Amino acid sequence: MSMNSTPKQTSHLKREILVRLIKAYLSDNFAENTRLIPYAMRPKGSEVPYRCCIHKERAILRDRTVAGLGMSIEEADDSTLLSTLAEESLKREEPEKNPLTVLTTACKGCVPSRIYVTDLCQGCVARPCINTCKFGAISIQNGKSVIDPEKCKNCGMCVQVCPYQAITKIIVPCENACPVGAIAKDEDGYAKIDFEKCISCGKCVAACPFGAVHEKSQIIDILKNVKAGKKVIAMVAPAIMGQLPCKPAQLKEAIMKLGFADVYEVAQGADVTTKTEAKEFEERLEAGAEFMTTSCCAGYNELVEKHIPEMKPFRSDTKTPLYYTAEIVKKEHPDAVTVFFSPCNAKRKEAMQNPNVDFVLNYEELGAWFVALGVQVSECGEVQFKTEASAEARNYAVTGGVAKAVQTMLPEHLPTYPVVINGLDKQSIRDLKKYAKNGVCELGNLIEVMACPGGCLGGNGTVNAYKQALKQLTGYVNESKPLVNEEEHIEK
Amino acid sequence: MDKKVSVKVCLGTTCFVMGSANLQELIELVPKKYGDRVDVSGVPCLGLCSIDWEFSKAPYVKVDDEVIKEATVEKVLAAIEKKLK
Ligand code: SF4
Ligand code: SF4
Ligand code: FES
């Protein structure tokens, strides 16, 4: 399973820029200090660790800073100073629409997908490659196979027949990772995202070895509201509890040190989701439905909207934990500015569609904020949440957790067979399409869908390694009060 | 008997965010590889990150008295090998 286990040097760069941006914002000259970020990171005469020259490195750092300001790199003019962009970023009232942007400068170096003959070619007599190529694209030159790119259709047949495995397909990591074919390298040499197709799953962000796909950060918007003295309230997703080197109970105080007025657990809303969804499942089954899918994952919801509309009747109408939490917060504090602390990019899209959620912050950005302010989370006091969520709700962040929670609330006599889709990829999407088309899933009737392998803990905006995050979160879940199925209790 | 090599992986907030989250595997890996010749543990902030702009060189790992900047699993293992020679 590909979970965020490989630490990337580009994550270090991304986070360093975020820290510098936050420090710049808090300084007395935001615009100028932002302009200086690429120069501060690669001062004159410094080593050039990755690229051909210092100017190229600075150009790339500049582009990363543009994404940090929450702007689109493709649209920003190369000649515009970062200081001007910094000032512009302060003027917007809401975040830009599409949550992702591609760093054209960094992406250029990555070769387009093609079939390639390696040195292993022995120029054998049998030449199975030439014989299998239906397009006549292969010829022998100087005793070795050569592919004519004009004729090659990338079918990969020759790759399979070469007995020396001398021909390989060069893949483009982002194209390969995207489950819906929404990103591709075009003639200009850099990847473009088709936002009509994109489900915001963030897999391309995690897959690109150059760190060329960036989330457009909303950190400046959030800092601005905090600085203006607004009542900014944090709503933290269950996945956060495995993300930082401290006890979960210390996080509330740590977050309030950043200037937040209060912190709510989104697991509180997950408890509402669980109960509502269990009721809905029971009603659907009684009405003769063959199966139902969950509806809490934003990536999955976008997938259904854009690519599997025939799944709509089978997807639960219950709202997401974020929805219920934001509703509660806005009811209790109508004047609040709400920020969702998210493990992934997909929730940025959900937040844009929900007027009760004003901004989104992922855990890389949260971490950078702690670094910028020098907050040591393990030194913070332990504070309870006003409403403590159940163990089952806190376990929503782990694959299988949602189905398990719903199951707890179902009457025992109901025949419930959970199925877990642990990560969306081309295969699982084909499976889902089949279930929707046939109106039945032979594996079970309660289908939990998570876009990320491992669940939210595997989201692209997380900081901790999966294994350790899971251990931390499970510890927290085990200390929490279990959900009680009151009706079952009365019956017994 | 030779003196033990001591490895301290900083798990303070700065180092953790800048990458030591992914160094936690050392805490399992090192004893498996070197047995009791090496002592490895995760420790709170080593105090190196707060000086000037030194956060950008995090994560830090200490192998005996040697400070490893921008530590990676490979760098730390190489430093251990050197000490054990
Ligand atoms: S993986 Fe995609 S986004 Fe990354 S450099 Fe290659 S083409 Fe560009
Ligand atoms: S976010 Fe997901 S759907 Fe969108 S381009 Fe990237 S991988 Fe494809
Ligand atoms: S957090 Fe590692 S040195 Fe401070």
Side-chain angles (χ1 to χ4, degrees):
Chain A
M1 233 190 295
S2 69
M3 279 168 311
N4 62 340
S5 51
T6 33
K8 286 197 295 185
Q9 203 55 41
T10 51
S11 313
H12 191 279
L13 288 177
K14 254 186 211 180
R15 291 171 200 175
E16 180 174 350
I17 286 177
L18 284 165
V19 176
R20 288 178 184 269
L21 255 184
I22 296 165
K23 290 200 183 212
Y25 180 83
L26 299 172
S27 73
D28 46 20
N29 198 344
F30 174 44
E32 176 62 5
N33 288 333
T34 302
R35 186 184 71 81
L36 291 175
I37 289 176
Y39 301 92
M41 288 176 70
R42 294 288 176 271
K44 208 172 158 195
S46 68
E47 266 176 61
V48 181
Y50 308 115
R51 307 281 171 175
C52 55
C53 67
I54 199 163
H55 308 290
K56 177 92 192 262
E57 289 231 349
R58 284 184 188 154
I60 293 174
L61 294 171
R62 173 200 181 271
D63 280 1
R64 293 190 197 281
T65 311
V66 174
L69 288 170
M71 296 171 150
S72 159
I73 299 162
E74 298 92 331
E75 281 162 31
D77 192 326
D78 275 359
S79 62
T80 315
L81 289 176
L82 272 180
S83 46
T84 313
L85 293 176
E87 270 154 13
E88 264 174 41
S89 77
L90 291 176
K91 289 188 201 131
R92 65 170 174 251
E93 288 299 318
E94 34 180 78
E96 283 189 11
K97 283 280 148 323
N98 298 321
L100 294 173
T101 177
V102 180
L103 230 94
T104 45
T105 40
C107 178
K108 270 241 154 63
C110 162
V111 273
S113 173
R114 63 190 162 103
I115 310 290
Y116 178 75
V117 185
T118 67
D119 286 349
L120 294 174
C121 172
Q122 310 287 320
C124 64
V125 184
R127 297 190 177 153
C129 54
I130 296 191
N131 298 333
T132 39
C133 181
K134 289 198 200 95
F135 310 102
I138 307 182
S139 59
I140 300 288
Q141 289 170 25
N142 298 328
K144 305 235 168 180
S145 289
V146 173
I147 298 176
D148 178 352
E150 298 283 303
K151 291 187 185 154
C152 172
K153 302 263 188 275
N154 276 316
C155 71
M157 287 299 286
C158 54
V159 176
Q160 285 165 33
V161 296
C162 173
Y164 297 102
Q165 300 181 348
I167 308 181
T168 59
K169 183 173 178 135
I170 300 181
I171 56 165
V172 179
C174 61
E175 286 179 12
N176 195 44
C178 180
V180 294
I183 189 166
K185 224 173 174 39
D186 72 358
E187 311 83 60
D188 302 339
Y190 61 85
K192 285 219 175 70
I193 298 174
D194 178 351
F195 287 104
E196 299 284 310
K197 285 190 188 164
C198 171
I199 58 171
S200 304
C201 68
K203 289 183 197 291
C204 52
V205 179
C208 174
F210 291 93
V213 191
H214 267 251
E215 291 182 53
K216 288 187 207 157
S217 180
Q218 299 172 17
I219 187 86
I220 298 299
D221 311 73
I222 301 167
L223 284 164
K224 202 172 83 179
N225 278 283
V226 170
K227 193 171 180 184
K230 299 264 179 66
K231 188 198 260 181
V232 187
I233 294 186
M235 307 182 289
V236 299
I240 202 176
M241 299 305 176
Q243 289 303 311
L244 287 148
C246 66
K247 291 192 198 139
Q250 292 174 302
L251 270 180
K252 182 169 174 179
E253 190 178 297
I255 292 168
M256 289 177 71
K257 279 195 178 167
L258 305 176
F260 286 83
D262 206 347
V263 185
Y264 282 68
E265 267 191 299
V266 170
Q268 183 182 346
D271 274 323
V272 183
T273 299
T274 303
K275 287 171 197 155
T276 318
E277 197 147 87
K279 214 149 152 246
E280 191 185 347
F281 181 71
E282 189 177 349
E283 284 164 12
R284 280 177 181 246
L285 244 53
E286 272 159 14
E290 292 285 343
F291 74 94
M292 180 185 95
T293 81
T294 54
S295 57
C296 53
C297 169
Y300 171 59
N301 287 337
E302 284 256 305
L303 174 76
V304 171
E305 297 300 323
K306 291 184 173 168
H307 301 277
I308 326 182
E310 62 273 27
M311 185 59 99
K312 282 187 200 168
F314 301 100
R315 178 182 54 176
S316 114
D317 294 321
T318 301
K319 303 284 188 227
T320 67
L322 172 58
Y323 178 94
Y324 295 119
T325 309
E327 195 174 55
I328 295 167
V329 174
K330 287 273 180 166
K331 206 172 270 167
E332 290 177 13
H333 308 273
D335 55 335
V337 172
T338 53
V339 180
F340 175 56
F341 285 38
S342 169
C344 72
N345 180 59
K347 285 278 173 189
R348 291 190 195 266
K349 218 42 212 264
E350 180 181 330
M352 281 175 203
Q353 290 153 358
N354 183 340
N356 285 339
V357 185
D358 297 311
F359 301 106
V360 175
L361 185 81
N362 72 18
Y363 303 149
E364 282 192 318
E365 295 160 341
L366 172 66
W369 201 342
F370 285 139
V371 174
L373 263 63
V375 175
Q376 285 291 342
V377 289
S378 64
E379 286 165 17
C380 293
E382 294 184 30
V383 190
Q384 297 261 302
F385 293 99
K386 212 163 21 188
T387 307
E388 291 275 315
S390 72
E392 284 78 0
R394 285 172 174 167
N395 200 36
Y396 259 54
V398 186
T399 182
V402 181
K404 211 150 95 196
V406 171
Q407 227 182 340
T408 335
M409 296 309 288
L410 291 171
E412 261 165 47
H413 65 81
L414 205 71
T416 315
Y417 306 101
V419 182
V420 175
I421 305 262
N422 183 18
L424 288 177
D425 53 27
K426 292 182 182 110
Q427 182 57 48
S428 56
I429 291 176
R430 271 196 294 274
D431 291 343
L432 285 164
K433 280 192 173 151
K434 195 176 76 194
Y435 306 151
K437 186 170 155 241
N438 300 344
V440 54
C441 165
E442 51 287 351
L443 301 174
N445 55 9
L446 175 59
I447 307 182
E448 177 200 288
V449 189
M450 291 276 190
C452 297
C456 308
L457 287 184
N460 73 289
T462 54
V463 171
N464 203 356
Y466 189 84
K467 211 169 126 196
Q468 272 82 16
L470 181 63
K471 202 166 134 199
Q472 243 190 48
L473 183 94
T474 308
Y476 187 53
V477 168
N478 291 343
E479 295 168 2
S480 311
K481 278 215 209 69
L483 201 61
V484 199
N485 188 342
E486 279 142 20
E487 283 167 32
E488 282 288 297
H489 269 255
I490 300 163
E491 278 171 31
K492 271 174 201 160
Chain B
M1 215 194 102
D2 290 344
K3 215 180 131 272
K4 270 190 183 181
V5 177
S6 123
V7 177
K8 295 196 168 78
V9 180
C10 182
L11 296 180
T13 305
T14 302
C15 287
F16 194 87
V17 171
M18 297 307 287
S20 74
N22 290 308
L23 298 179
Q24 291 172 97
E25 60 179 277
L26 279 171
I27 297 168
E28 276 178 34
L29 189 89
V30 167
K32 260 191 224 143
K33 216 168 153 185
Y34 300 106
D36 57 7
R37 287 187 296 162
V38 181
D39 245 344
V40 58
S41 58
V43 299
C45 178
L46 290 167
L48 298 161
C49 62
S50 49
I51 319 161
D52 206 10
W53 284 83
E54 289 295 310
F55 78 89
S56 64
K57 297 285 181 293
Y60 292 102
V61 172
K62 263 182 141 176
V63 177
D64 286 341
D65 289 333
E66 185 189 342
V67 173
I68 303 180
K69 293 177 180 181
E70 295 184 68
T72 59
V73 171
E74 295 73 32
K75 277 194 197 173
V76 175
L77 290 180
I80 295 174
E81 292 284 345
K82 218 170 75 197
K83 297 271 170 194
L84 285 177
K85 262 198 198 137

